[in-house]
């Protein structure tokens, strides 16, 4: 009986810390600023199915070449689905949305290309 109680307590405590942070992003080398402002890298995935509008609100739009906007359009793939879930989980936590103020290239080039 004691082992069962320990197991339940362990599972509850594990679930409590399961909320991952922005450093656990799958895309843009875990850079939340760049990911929240631009979404997936267009150079790597030119036909992505969603784009961010106002990251701190969680607003996004479906690309015109994907379903459901285009009836016979591109189906959403695993990257589209996972990246949108990460966007909705991480980006609204910012509360407001700042602009890039760096001096080297742009946000996708600093400190390295990502």
């Amino acid at each position: 009986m004691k082992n069962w109680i320990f197991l339940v307590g362990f599972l509850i405590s594990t679930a409590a810390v399961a909320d991952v942070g922005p450093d656990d992003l799958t895309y843009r080398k875990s850079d939340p600023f760049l990911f929240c402002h631009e979404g997936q890298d267009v150079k790597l995935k030119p036909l992505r199915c969603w784009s961010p509008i106002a990251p701190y609100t969680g607003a996004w739009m479906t690309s015109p070449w994907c379903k459901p906007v285009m009836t016979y359009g591109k189906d959403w793939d695993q990257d589209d689905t996972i990246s949108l879930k990460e966007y909705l989980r991480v980006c609204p936590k910012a509360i407001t949305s700042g602009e890039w103020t760096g001096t080297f290239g742009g946000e996708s080039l600093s400190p390295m290309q990502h």
Side-chain angles (χ1 to χ4, degrees), residues 40-62:
Q40 294 181 59
D41 190 347
V42 179
K43 292 177 186 169
L44 297 176
K45 186 169 178 119
L47 294 178
R48 60 188 183 175
C49 281
W50 69 274
S51 297
I53 297 176
Y56 64 96
T57 65
W60 58 280
M61 66 180 187
T62 302

Side-chain angles (χ1 to χ4, degrees), residues 33 36-37 53-57 91 94-100:
F33 180 85
C36 290
H37 277 82
I53 297 176
Y56 64 96
T57 65
C91 300
I95 301 172
T96 61
S97 186
E99 294 298 319
W100 175 252

Side-chain angles (χ1 to χ4, degrees), residues 54-109:
Y56 64 96
T57 65
W60 58 280
M61 66 180 187
T62 302
S63 299
W65 49 79
C66 293
K67 293 179 181 178
V69 176
M70 182 180 285
T71 307
Y72 299 105
K74 175 185 174 291
D75 288 321
W76 284 54
D77 63 20
Q78 185 175 3
D79 283 329
D80 293 319
T81 305
I82 292 171
S83 63
L84 181 58
K85 286 179 182 178
E86 289 182 2
Y87 174 81
L88 294 172
R89 175 180 51 86
V90 172
C91 300
K93 293 180 181 179
I95 301 172
T96 61
S97 186
E99 294 298 319
W100 175 252
T101 58
T103 56
F104 177 74
E107 61 265 19
S108 64
L109 299 175

Side-chain angles (χ1 to χ4, degrees), residues 5-18:
I5 293 172
F6 173 77
L7 179 63
V8 171
F10 175 76
L11 292 174
I12 291 172
S13 67
T14 304
V17 297

